[in-house]
């Protein structure tokens, strides 16, 4: 049950109210409770909210929590009820061993006020352990000549509980030979002894079986038993005797394992097996057996495990010596552990802020930490320190708690984060120290605008760039952080040749990459002036500007353009005149050309690519002047054709050609007289086409003409046969008209199909016309079909060949 903190009752003690009130205020920050061990998790310990003068809901609001120095947390706060509860089952024997008072100290932190309250909880023992002998049976050898009244030590039971719950007494099973006598030592421990009541006779009964029972007190009595086997042996009338009833020894806690602590010695005046003494621990506990070892033959006690003054500074060891028949003697070894400075201070950070604004005022609390050293005396005194060149200071608060404070205003751009090393050093010899690192961030405010590395920028790129090509990357730096350092880019709007600047270029707002939105032409735009703005994302945002010049570089993307001689629009060929009397170097004409590119791309050179009379004319390399290379001769043709090439010096070079026609004559009439010779030669492909057309028409005509001749020959033959045979013909007068068509009908048919082919000397002016020739004449005039004689032509018809009427 929890014990509320003591407060004076001023209603009854009016006379001393003032004095007790003052004392209570001094102790107001120390609260004491008590709770029995072995309670379930979450069991009520005390109303901490009431004792702190708070409402239960204020515990969470004011950041009330338990702080400890790294041990297992035994208690917890119930935020709903405002009470202190157990965090698990508490075992007093494990926590405080056999200490009569078991008090657990903890601290309560009020986070909002950075205030510490000390809490002491007394753990009350309950009877949860039964006495234990450590062994189930014990054999005692007794000589048969022992006289009544002889005492024999019995094994003691151990009960880890304290007070009334500890071992209270022993009982022995009924036996006519032995009785039980319990002795109490100076330390209050009860030692059971077996008392011989009647003489023994080994021959009558060699072994006596007894049961020793140990019991404790408390509400529920627990007990433990051990079987005692009394074996009778021959006479051994002397028990071992220790040289000292108590041995005292001191040892430093850093004594190495295996070192000898001391030697216990017991003597037995008997001889032989009855005088051989062996040693052993009595009432040994696990902790004793893990730290010390007793040599059963020589009595040497050595250190088996690491000693720790902070764990236990004193050990009470019971040793026993027994001879061969089993007579025993008891003694104590009292071991005092001396403290050495073997524990470095422990630093526990109780409260820590993760970041602090760079504009925070001096004196701002950054961290609250506790320093503890498990050593004692000077070895446990601790001093804390940090480097002197830091803008921070340490301040000691309640008990061993310290605070880390700022000394001046911080600048994040100077130092963005701190990792402060707190050194805790004790006063031992040699001193030990512990370093703890307290790290936190300096929160940024937007106090720096973005800045460009240069005051202005310029870049060059070639014309005819692809749309969307990257031109330049602009980068601005902002020493701030996070959103305050996130820079976005933009372009100031402007007009370029009547169009908005945004139609020419754009900038990626996040990366600062400048892109060309169109393919630039050096001949139209040679330079762009831009204003780039870099803005951060702080509140309010800060920005800076920088000028950017974009220069377009020329490429050889324009072929030379010939201005003179200009190409005629009507398809005719221009003519230049050169008198036959012209001397070498006579200027005939000049080819004038320009290139829209610039620099080397616009540097033009001229050369004579082709001439109808090689060596007669020459062209100036850089001037384009066409001059006679030699004197004109009579044998030189009137019409001279020259092909002049104009080429620039770009990479790759581009060129253009022009064809010049030079008429060689002394006067205009001479030129006019020979204009026909200046016509352009017929196209050989067109002439061949005309020839094929004429041959095809002639072939079709001949085939058709042959068919008509054969048809007429048959008709005339019948008609001629009818005239030679009048008698036969008279018989046929009455016959109707023949179904065959007569000569007049054939002539009428032939008149419906006629053609005329008209060919000119120039194939480009040739054409085919289909008029109406008389194929009746063609039948008579056999030369048109190139046949020597027609098929099926009668002799009468041939005789009339010279008749002009018939020929008509």
């Amino acid at each position: 049950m929890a014990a509320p903190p003591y407060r004076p009752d001023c209603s009854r003690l009016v006379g001393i109210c003032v004095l007790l009130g003052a004392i209570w205020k001094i102790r107001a920050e120390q609260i004491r409770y008590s709770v029995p061990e072995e309670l379930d998790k979450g069991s009520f310990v005390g109303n901490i909210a009431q004792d702190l003068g708070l409402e239960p809901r204020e515990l969470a609001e004011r950041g009330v929590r338990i702080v400890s120095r790294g041990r297992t947390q035994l208690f917890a706060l119930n935020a709903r009820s405002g009470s202190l509860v157990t965090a698990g089952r508490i075992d007093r024997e494990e926590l405080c061993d056999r200490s009569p008072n078991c008090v657990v100290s903890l601290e309560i932190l009020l986070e909002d006020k950075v205030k510490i309250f000390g809490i002491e909880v007394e753990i009350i023992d309950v009877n949860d352990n039964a006495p234990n002998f450590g062994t189930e049976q014990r054999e005692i050898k007794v000589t048969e000549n022992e006289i009544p009244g002889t005492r024999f030590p019995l094994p003691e039971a151990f009960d880890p509980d304290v007070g009334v719950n500890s071992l209270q007494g022993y009982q022995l099973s009924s036996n006519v030979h032995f009785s039980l006598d319990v002795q109490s030592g100076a330390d209050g421990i009860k030692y059971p002894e077996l008392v011989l009541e009647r003489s023994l006779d080994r021959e009558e009964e060699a072994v006596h079986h007894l049961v020793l029972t140990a019991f404790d007190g408390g509400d529920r009595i627990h007990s433990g038993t051990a079987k005692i086997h009394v074996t009778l042996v021959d006479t051994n009338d002397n028990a071992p005797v220790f040289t000292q009833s108590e041995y005292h020894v001191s040892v430093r806690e850093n004594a190495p394992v295996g070192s000898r602590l001391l030697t216990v010695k017991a003597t037995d005046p008997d001889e032989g097996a009855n005088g051989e003494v062996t040693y052993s621990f009595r009432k040994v506990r696990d902790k004793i057996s893990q730290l010390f070892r007793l040599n059963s033959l020589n009595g040497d006690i050595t250190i088996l495990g690491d000693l720790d003054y902070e764990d236990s500074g004193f050990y009470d060891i019971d040793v026993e010596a027994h001879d061969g028949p089993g007579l025993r003697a008891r003694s104590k070894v009292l071991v005092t552990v001396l403290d050495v400075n073997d524990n470095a201070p422990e630093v526990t950070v109780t409260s820590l802020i993760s970041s602090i604004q760079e504009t925070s005022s001096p004196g701002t609390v950054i961290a609250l930490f506790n320093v503890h050293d498990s050593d004692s005396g000077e070895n446990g005194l601790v001093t804390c320190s940090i480097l002197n060149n830091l803008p921070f200071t340490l301040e000691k608060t309640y008990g061993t708690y310290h605070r880390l404070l700022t000394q001046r205003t911080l600048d994040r751009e100077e130092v963005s984060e701190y990792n402060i090393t707190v050194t805790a050093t004790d006063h031992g010899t040699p001193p030990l120290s512990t370093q703890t690192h307290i790290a936190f961030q300096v929160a940024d405010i937007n106090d720096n605008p973005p800045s460009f590395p240069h005051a202005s920028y310029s870049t060059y790129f070639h014309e005819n760039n692809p749309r969307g090509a990257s031109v330049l990357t602009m980068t601005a730096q902002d020493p701030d952080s996070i959103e305050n350092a996130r820079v976005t880019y933009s372009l100031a709007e402007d007009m370029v040749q009547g169009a908005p600047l945004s139609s020419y270029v754009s900038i990626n707002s996040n990366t600062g990459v400048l892109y060309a939105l169109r393919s630039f032409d050096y001949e139209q735009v040679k330079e762009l002036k831009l204003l780039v703005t870099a803005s951060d994302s702080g509140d309010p945002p800060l920005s800076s500007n920088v000028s950017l010049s974009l220069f377009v570089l020329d490429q050889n993307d324009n072929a030379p353009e010939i201005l003179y001689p200009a190409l005629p629009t009507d398809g005719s060929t221009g003519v230049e005149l050169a008198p036959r009397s012209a001397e070498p170097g006579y200027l005939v004409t000049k080819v004038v050309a320009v290139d829209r590119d610039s620099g080397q791309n616009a540097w033009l050179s001229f050369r004579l690519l082709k001439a109808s009379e090689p060596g007669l004319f020459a062209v100036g390399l850089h001037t384009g002047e066409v001059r006679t290379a030699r004197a004109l001769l009579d044998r030189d043709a009137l019409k001279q054709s020259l092909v002049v090439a104009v080429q620039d010096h770009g990479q790759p070079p581009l060129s253009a050609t022009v064809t010049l026609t030079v008429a060689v004559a002394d006067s205009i009439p001479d030129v006019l007289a020979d204009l026909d010779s200046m016509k352009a030669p017929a196209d050989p492909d067109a002439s061949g086409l005309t020839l094929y057309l004429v041959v095809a028409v002639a072939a079709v005509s001949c085939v058709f003409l042959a068919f008509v001749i054969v048809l007429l020959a048959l008709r005339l033959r019948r008609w001629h046969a009818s005239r030679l045979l009048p008698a036969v013909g008279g018989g046929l007068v009455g016959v109707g008209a023949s179904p065959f068509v007569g000569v007049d009908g054939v002539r009428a048919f032939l008149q419906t199909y006629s053609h005329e082919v008209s060919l000119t000397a120039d194939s480009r002016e040739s054409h085919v016309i289909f008029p109406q020739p008389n194929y009746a004449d063609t039948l008579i005039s056999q030369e048109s079909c190139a046949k020597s004689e027609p098929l099926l032509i009668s002799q009468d018809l041939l005789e009339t060949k010279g008749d002009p009427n018939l020929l008509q």
Side-chain angles (χ1 to χ4, degrees):
M1 180 180 296
Y6 173 75
R7 293 184 178 88
D9 187 356
C10 294
S11 64
R12 298 183 178 179
L13 303 176
V14 178
I16 58 173
C17 181
V18 176
L19 177 60
L20 292 181
I23 296 174
W24 179 80
K25 288 183 178 178
I26 294 174
R27 300 289 296 171
E29 295 181 353
Q30 186 72 32
I31 303 174
R32 186 178 180 89
Y33 300 108
S34 61
V35 62
E37 64 173 332
E38 299 297 333
L39 290 180
D40 293 334
K41 179 181 179 181
S43 298
F44 176 85
V45 177
N47 194 335
I48 192 67
Q50 177 181 346
D51 295 333
L52 293 178
L54 304 175
E55 293 295 329
R57 57 179 177 79
E58 293 183 285
L59 294 182
E61 296 174 356
R62 302 185 63 175
V64 177
R65 58 189 175 92
I66 298 175
V67 295
S68 62
R69 294 193 296 266
R71 65 169 57 183
T72 303
Q73 191 65 259
L74 300 177
F75 303 96
L77 287 177
N78 189 322
R80 178 176 300 177
S81 63
S83 58
L84 183 69
V85 297
T86 57
R89 286 186 175 272
I90 301 175
D91 188 354
R92 183 189 184 282
E93 288 73 34
E94 180 181 354
L95 191 64
C96 300
D97 201 0
R98 292 182 57 82
S99 176
N101 294 320
C102 183
V103 178
V104 177
S105 298
L106 59 140
E107 290 83 27
I108 298 293
L109 170 65
L110 270 66
E111 188 96 18
D112 60 337
K113 291 187 176 181
V114 194
K115 191 172 182 180
I116 298 294
F117 289 86
I119 306 294
E120 288 185 357
V121 181
E122 180 182 7
I123 309 301
I124 300 175
D125 183 48
V126 296
N127 191 18
D128 58 338
N129 293 282
N132 184 16
F133 287 93
T135 179
E136 293 184 359
Q137 63 182 12
R138 170 70 65 87
E139 182 181 11
I140 299 177
K141 294 182 179 181
V142 180
T143 60
E144 60 181 351
N145 61 350
E146 289 288 352
I147 61 175
T150 304
R151 296 174 176 268
F152 304 95
L154 293 175
E156 295 94 21
F158 175 72
D159 191 336
D161 295 326
V162 295
V164 70
N165 298 322
S166 64
L167 180 65
Q168 297 298 312
Y170 295 89
Q171 289 181 352
L172 184 66
S173 60
S174 61
N175 186 272
V176 296
H177 293 281
F178 299 96
S179 64
L180 177 66
D181 187 19
V182 179
Q183 301 290 331
S184 296
D187 53 2
I189 299 178
K190 295 178 173 58
Y191 300 98
E193 293 180 344
L194 188 66
V195 180
L196 180 62
E197 297 291 337
R198 295 175 60 182
S199 298
L200 300 173
D201 186 0
R202 180 180 178 277
E203 287 69 25
E204 182 179 308
E205 187 176 3
V207 178
H208 296 269
H209 299 281
L210 306 176
V211 176
L212 180 61
T213 302
F215 57 91
D216 59 12
D219 295 335
R220 296 179 58 188
I221 297 177
H222 296 85
S223 63
T225 61
K227 294 180 179 180
I228 307 299
H229 300 288
V230 180
T231 303
L232 302 182
V233 296
D234 289 335
T235 302
N236 179 28
D237 55 351
N238 291 289
V241 177
F242 280 99
T243 57
Q244 298 180 29
S245 61
E246 287 185 352
Y247 294 86
H248 296 268
V249 65
S250 297
V251 61
R252 296 170 65 88
E253 63 175 328
N254 59 351
V257 175
S259 59
R260 189 175 66 88
L261 187 62
L262 82 161
T263 301
V264 295
K265 184 67 176 175
T267 59
D268 192 323
D270 293 328
E271 293 181 357
N274 297 329
E276 293 179 358
V277 179
T278 57
Y279 304 92
S280 63
F281 286 132
R282 296 177 56 248
K283 206 170 49 176
V284 62
R285 291 175 293 175
D286 290 341
K287 184 175 292 187
I288 299 297
S289 62
Q290 292 172 2
L291 294 178
F292 304 99
R293 174 186 294 167
L294 175 60
N295 190 311
S296 63
L297 298 179
N298 58 21
D300 287 342
I301 299 178
T302 56
I303 298 176
L304 183 61
D306 293 326
L307 300 178
D308 190 355
Y309 172 83
E310 290 70 37
D311 187 18
S312 179
F314 180 80
Y315 294 97
D316 183 352
I317 306 174
D318 291 321
V319 294
E320 179 179 79
H322 56 88
D323 57 19
L327 295 180
R328 302 173 184 273
R330 293 191 301 269
S331 181
K332 278 185 176 293
V333 178
L334 305 178
V335 181
T336 301
V337 181
L338 301 179
D339 182 38
V340 296
N341 192 25
D342 61 341
N343 289 282
E346 299 176 4
V347 179
T348 303
V349 178
T350 304
S351 179
L352 174 65
I353 60 174
S354 60
S355 65
I356 179 174
Q357 281 203 343
E358 57 182 327
T359 56
S360 297
S361 59
T364 302
V365 179
I366 297 174
L368 175 69
F369 59 91
N370 174 265
V371 180
H372 173 72
D373 195 314
S374 299
D375 294 322
S376 61
E378 291 292 321
N379 298 331
L381 297 179
V382 180
T383 302
C384 297
S385 63
I386 60 174
L387 295 178
N388 294 329
N389 59 349
L390 295 175
F392 305 99
T393 184
L394 290 176
E395 178 183 278
K396 189 172 183 180
T397 59
Y398 170 81
T400 57
Y401 283 87
H402 296 72
R403 293 194 302 179
L404 179 65
L405 311 172
T406 59
Q407 269 189 327
R408 58 175 173 83
T409 303
L410 306 178
D411 186 0
R412 194 208 67 84
E413 286 69 43
E414 208 177 282
V415 180
S416 62
E417 61 179 328
Y418 287 92
N419 191 355
I420 302 173
T421 301
V422 178
T423 304
T425 306
D426 60 25
H427 294 184
T429 303
L432 300 179
S433 62
T434 299
Q435 289 186 341
T436 298
H437 301 282
I438 297 177
F440 61 93
Q441 305 285 335
V442 180
D444 182 50
I445 62 172
N446 193 25
D447 55 349
N448 293 280
S451 61
F452 289 93
H454 305 286
S456 61
Y457 292 83
S458 61
T459 187
Y460 300 82
F461 64 97
H462 289 280
E463 64 173 334
N464 301 320
N465 57 284
R467 294 183 179 180
S470 172
V471 177
L472 175 69
T473 299
M474 304 291 293
T475 303
Q477 302 294 335
D478 194 317
D480 293 324
S481 65
I482 315 177
E483 289 299 315
N484 296 332
R486 188 168 64 86
V487 180
T488 57
Y489 303 88
S490 61
L491 296 176
E493 192 57 56
D494 198 1
M495 300 295 291
V496 178
Q497 295 185 355
L501 177 65
S502 57
S503 64
Y504 286 84
V505 292
S506 69
I507 190 169
N508 189 305
S509 62
N510 295 322
T511 62
V513 179
L514 189 71
Y515 297 96
L517 299 182
R518 62 171 62 183
S519 180
F520 282 84
D521 188 353
Y522 173 82
E523 288 72 34
Q524 295 181 2
V525 179
K526 295 181 174 60
E527 179 183 357
L528 286 178
K529 295 289 187 180
L530 311 176
L531 187 64
V532 181
T533 301
S535 304
D536 60 28
S537 301
D539 185 17
L542 303 178
S543 63
S544 60
N545 301 323
V546 70
S547 60
L548 171 62
S549 299
L550 301 180
F551 298 97
V552 183
L553 299 179
D554 184 43
Q555 285 186 326
N556 191 28
D557 58 342
N558 292 284
E561 182 180 350
I562 299 175
L563 302 180
Y564 184 84
L567 295 177
T569 58
D570 56 356
S572 61
T573 304
V575 178
E576 303 289 342
L577 294 179
R580 287 190 176 275
S581 59
E583 296 295 329
Y586 174 79
L587 178 61
V588 178
T589 185
K590 181 176 181 179
V591 177
V592 180
V594 294
D595 195 314
R596 296 174 60 190
D597 295 322
S598 64
Q600 187 174 349
N601 298 330
W603 183 20
L604 304 180
S605 59
F606 303 82
R607 62 188 177 92
L608 184 60
L609 188 64
K610 182 179 180 182
S612 58
E613 187 70 35
L616 180 57
F617 298 95
V619 178
L621 179 62
H622 301 298
T623 62
E625 295 177 346
V626 181
R627 297 179 180 271
T628 57
R630 60 175 175 80
L632 297 174
L633 305 177
D634 293 338
R635 60 181 175 83
D636 293 330
L638 172 65
K639 173 186 170 185
Q640 297 290 334
S641 179
L642 307 178
V643 178
V644 177
V646 184
Q647 179 175 294
D648 58 27
H649 287 72
Q651 291 297 329
L654 302 177
S655 62
T657 59
V658 62
T659 301
L660 302 176
T661 301
V662 180
V664 179
D666 291 328
S667 61
I668 297 300
D670 294 340
V671 177
L672 298 176
D674 296 328
L675 282 179
D676 292 339
S677 65
M678 295 174 62
K679 291 183 179 180
D683 188 355
D685 295 337
S687 300
L689 180 62
T690 303
L691 177 61
Y692 295 149
L693 183 59
V694 171
V695 171
V697 171
V700 172
S701 300
C702 291
V703 172
F704 183 75
L705 184 59
F707 171 74
V708 173
I709 291 174
V710 172
L711 183 62
L712 290 179
L714 293 175
R715 185 66 179 173
L716 291 176
R717 182 177 181 182
R718 289 185 180 182
W719 174 74
H720 182 67
S722 63
R723 292 184 62 184
L724 293 178
L725 300 173
V728 178
L732 297 174
V733 173
V735 180
S738 174
F740 294 98
V741 180
V743 175
D744 296 337
V746 172
R747 180 176 298 147
F749 168 76
L750 292 177
Q751 288 179 352
T752 62
Y753 178 83
S754 62
H755 70 274
E756 175 181 301
V757 177
S758 174
L759 302 177
T760 64
D762 192 345
S763 64
R764 289 176 298 180
E765 298 177 0
S766 301
H767 58 277
V768 179
I769 304 174
F770 290 91
Q772 298 179 358
N774 193 333
Y775 272 84
D777 297 339
T778 305
L779 290 173
I780 298 173
S781 179
Q782 299 176 12
E783 291 83 0
S784 63
C785 278
K787 294 181 182 288
S788 59
E789 56 183 13
L791 296 176
L792 302 177
I793 301 296
S794 63
Q795 187 65 31
D796 295 337
L797 182 59
L798 295 177
E799 290 176 356
T800 63
K801 186 176 180 181
D803 190 349
N805 294 327
L806 184 59
L807 290 175
Q808 184 180 5

